[in-house]
Amino acid sequence: MSGSDQPLAEPAQPMSEPPEQAPASPWGDWTDVSAQRWDQPPVHEVAPGPGPLDDGPGAGASAGTPYGSAAAPMSYGFGPPAPGAYAFGPGDGGSYGAGQVQPARRRWPWIAGIVAAALVVVGTVGGTVAYQALSGGGRQPESVLPADAVAFAKIDLDPSASQKIAAYRFLNTLPKVGKSFTQGKDLRESLFDVFADQAHLPSSFNYARDVKPWLGDRAAIALRFDASGKAESIGALQVRDQSAATRSLTAIMTFTGTDFGVTFSHGYALLGKDQQEVDTARVEAERAPLSASPHFRADMALLGSTGVSAGWADFGALSSAMRGAAVGGALLNKSRLSYTLRFSPTAAEVVLKSSGGPRAALPARSMPIAALPADTVAAASLSVDNGQLAQAYRQFESRFAQQSGGLMGNPLAAISRQFGLKLPADLQSLIGTDLLLAMGPGKTRDGLPEIAARTTTDPTRAISVMDRIRDGLAAEGAQLPVAYTATADGLAVATDRSYLAAVSGPPTARLGDTASFKAAVPDAAKARSVVFANLDRVADIMAREGAPAEAITTVREFAGLGLTAVTEGDVTTVRIRLVAH
């Protein structure tokens, strides 16, 4: 297996930090819960038992201290309010108080709330910079979720100090986009607003008073299967005050007419469909947490260090749990996948690592995209499995025959007869083993964009195929809409002759020497797939085509966007990087 992937301008660090004294809150004084308005006790409470997890300094702190009073796990079963307790019902204008009529209980889609609170922020890459604390320590959610989870994702709004600094610097290079994050409101409040709207919570349920005092910086969701093979999703929310969290969650269930399971373990609230589900998950996590799973630890270590979000999935275990059903195709079916989202001062990137599956049969490197002209707007280079190309063609024939009931022949077969082609052999000759696509900054005389393709193949065979296509069109009174030529290692095709010459000959200036290319795809030289877009040139085309000014301004804040896929041994690394100026 390859070594761990180093983060952007950040030294690698252990996957899980040792438990330590909780840091001071970056959101101010959250210990004052005097404004809380719920005093309903839980219906029942299970006495905590000893567990192997040691919370370190601060364990056993009273409610209101960092991470609440979670020295040991507590389990709560929530049910209808006791007489005189708070309930929400119609006719009170959105307020809540004693004696209200409680709506009928229903199974509200609790998972939507967990996902909204825990994972929607994955797409909001700037969330972490709204906070100023630089600790990044404390227990991670994988330590309170069970080792039999087959998939896991988390968000961490309190990452390492270097990640916070890098994120803040990156977003401050973006005058328009970055300001919305660095000078915006608490991201947790924004997420709560979405949740409150979907759950139809009353306006009197106030984030600043009723949620902020207890909600922590980290959240996660895990997928596991019970003994009967039934899928279960368990959410984990970091809490600062267990008592305040209990009151808030009780009120949410009252307002929404919902029953769901809640238990507390080592500073986290575990949420699930019912109480038995979360209690079982807590017990299993005490016995064997996900953080101690050898596969999980090894796969996350490949990432180097995690940023503001990370996740993991074991497709082999998922397939077994689903009674052998294929998951994600043949290559993924036995693989494990881990990812992280992280920052450098000038870039944001998502890194995915695939391991444990069959080795890819593709070449280690693709056609050198770096040799394209420097003014290339966008380009993609990928290795092609020529054998799978023929297999895909035969599968298309078979499926088409099945869907048409045998009443229609393969339309590609008719085309091949018209042009004197032999498929799939001639298709393999055209595409070869490597495919390079490129877009230039200009237009052809017909007003078409400059588009070109190059393939690594036998030049003689490829030119023969193109000649037959050209002659077949001419026989029908049509003209081939592209120009083509043989290259030293294959074929080049473009929408006009001038751009064909630009991509098939040695350029006066190389794309690989431009700053945006180097920053967006730093490992292009060893990648078997590369995708790159020069966003300055994309903005130029948008302006030329009359795109909205605001959209153009937003795109101009970035220099480039890149994707690379590198395979080393049985580990494939996919890197998606967005670079600012």
Side-chain angles (χ1 to χ4, degrees):
M1 301 177 83
S2 65
S4 63
D5 187 57
Q6 292 304 314
L8 296 174
E10 178 176 340
Q13 60 184 4
M15 177 193 60
S16 300
E17 299 90 339
E20 60 181 30
Q21 179 68 39
S25 170
W27 299 310
D29 182 11
W30 43 261
T31 59
D32 180 10
V33 295
S34 59
Q36 296 290 332
R37 291 196 279 174
W38 305 289
D39 55 2
Q40 175 188 349
V43 174
H44 68 270
E45 179 174 315
V46 178
L53 298 180
D54 178 13
D55 280 330
S62 60
T65 56
Y67 304 112
S69 55
M74 302 291 288
S75 179
Y76 291 85
F78 293 95
Y86 290 107
F88 177 69
D92 62 353
S95 63
Y96 50 92
Q100 298 289 348
V101 178
Q102 181 187 357
R105 284 293 190 196
R106 57 187 174 87
R107 285 293 184 189
W108 181 71
W110 60 271
I111 187 63
I114 295 176
V115 173
L119 299 179
V120 75
V121 70
V122 170
T124 312
V125 298
T128 188
V129 300
Y131 316 114
Q132 302 302 315
L134 298 178
S135 60
R139 187 179 293 278
Q140 293 290 334
E142 55 262 38
S143 68
V144 298
L145 291 167
D148 61 1
V150 297
F152 164 85
K154 69 176 178 179
I155 180 70
D156 188 352
L157 298 183
D158 187 25
S160 65
S162 57
Q163 270 296 286
K164 290 179 181 176
I165 294 171
Y168 190 84
R169 289 177 177 173
F170 170 75
L171 291 167
N172 270 293
T173 65
L174 312 175
K176 180 179 178 62
V177 178
K179 185 178 294 186
S180 65
F181 293 115
T182 58
Q183 299 181 14
K185 68 178 181 180
D186 186 337
L187 181 62
R188 298 177 309 160
E189 182 176 3
S190 299
L191 296 177
F192 170 79
D193 290 343
V194 173
F195 168 75
D197 181 67
Q198 293 181 348
H200 304 292
L201 296 181
S203 59
S204 52
F205 190 82
N206 182 273
Y207 169 79
R209 180 192 64 244
D210 302 328
V211 177
K212 184 176 179 179
W214 61 265
L215 184 61
D217 306 326
R218 294 167 180 150
I221 188 167
L223 174 66
R224 66 190 297 265
F225 289 81
D226 64 15
S228 67
K230 180 182 176 183
E232 298 178 348
S233 295
I234 304 297
L237 286 177
Q238 190 180 47
V239 298
R240 292 192 169 94
D241 186 325
Q242 186 168 302
S243 298
T246 300
R247 292 192 294 270
S248 292
L249 293 171
T250 302
I252 289 173
M253 281 189 282
T254 300
F255 297 146
T256 60
T258 302
D259 287 320
F260 56 86
V262 179
T263 188
F264 291 89
S265 177
H266 302 282
Y268 283 86
L270 302 184
L271 293 82
K273 183 181 63 177
D274 55 47
Q275 196 60 39
Q276 180 180 356
E277 190 172 281
V278 294
D279 285 343
T280 300
R282 174 181 61 80
V283 171
E284 291 297 320
E286 285 289 304
R287 183 181 61 82
L290 180 60
S291 58
S293 165
H295 277 164
F296 178 84
R297 292 178 63 87
D299 296 340
M300 297 299 283
L302 288 174
L303 296 170
S305 87
T306 56
V308 298
S309 179
W312 173 84
D314 186 335
F315 291 99
L318 182 57
S319 177
S320 297
M322 296 176 65
R323 303 297 191 266
V327 180
L331 284 179
L332 281 181
N333 205 29
K334 296 182 180 180
S335 299
R336 300 185 306 276
L337 183 73
S338 56
Y339 85 87
T340 187
L341 165 65
R342 60 193 179 203
F343 293 91
S344 78
T346 58
E349 73 171 7
V350 175
V351 176
L352 301 98
K353 297 274 188 176
S354 175
S355 62
R359 295 197 178 195
L362 297 176
R365 298 184 182 182
S366 62
M367 186 178 295
I369 190 174
L372 288 170
D375 62 356
T376 298
V377 176
S381 176
L382 63 150
S383 299
V384 178
D385 187 331
N386 212 261
Q388 285 195 350
L389 188 64
Q391 183 180 356
Y393 177 82
R394 286 188 285 268
Q395 288 177 346
F396 169 79
E397 281 188 311
S398 176
R399 289 176 181 174
F400 187 86
Q402 291 175 356
Q403 291 176 0
S404 66
L407 299 177
M408 297 179 61
N410 180 1
L412 294 180
I415 295 174
S416 68
R417 288 193 297 269
Q418 178 184 357
F419 295 107
L421 302 178
K422 295 180 180 180
L423 298 178
D426 284 341
L427 182 60
Q428 291 175 292
S429 295
L430 280 181
I431 297 180
T433 58
D434 295 287
L435 176 64
L436 174 63
L437 302 174
M439 178 179 180
K443 289 185 175 183
T444 68
R445 287 179 296 179
D446 297 328
L448 299 174
E450 292 180 326
I451 303 292
R454 285 187 59 178
T455 62
T456 300
T457 186
D458 184 320
T460 302
R461 292 183 179 180
I463 290 296
S464 173
V465 175
M466 293 300 299
D467 286 346
R468 277 177 275 159
I469 295 174
R470 179 200 61 195
D471 296 342
L473 287 173
E476 299 291 334
Q479 186 177 6
L480 188 66
V482 296
Y484 60 92
T485 187
T487 63
D489 59 357
L491 174 71
V493 181
T495 49
D496 71 1
R497 292 190 177 278
S498 63
Y499 194 53
L500 177 66
V503 299
S504 59
T508 55
R510 300 171 71 253
L511 178 63
D513 296 330
T514 62
S516 59
F517 182 88
K518 292 178 180 179
V521 286
D523 46 2
K526 60 180 181 179
R528 60 181 177 86
S529 296
V530 181
V531 178
F532 169 74
N534 183 319
L535 296 182
D536 284 329
R537 298 192 183 279
V538 170
D540 291 341
I541 293 177
M542 292 172 63
R544 185 179 71 196
E545 299 298 326
E550 184 175 358
I552 297 171
T553 300
T554 299
V555 173
R556 288 199 187 280
E557 294 190 353
F558 302 96
L561 176 66
L563 179 150
T564 55
V566 178
T567 297
E568 297 174 304
D570 66 345
V571 177
T572 295
T573 301
V574 176
R575 186 188 309 274
I576 305 170
R577 181 181 278 192
L578 180 63
V579 180
H581 283 291

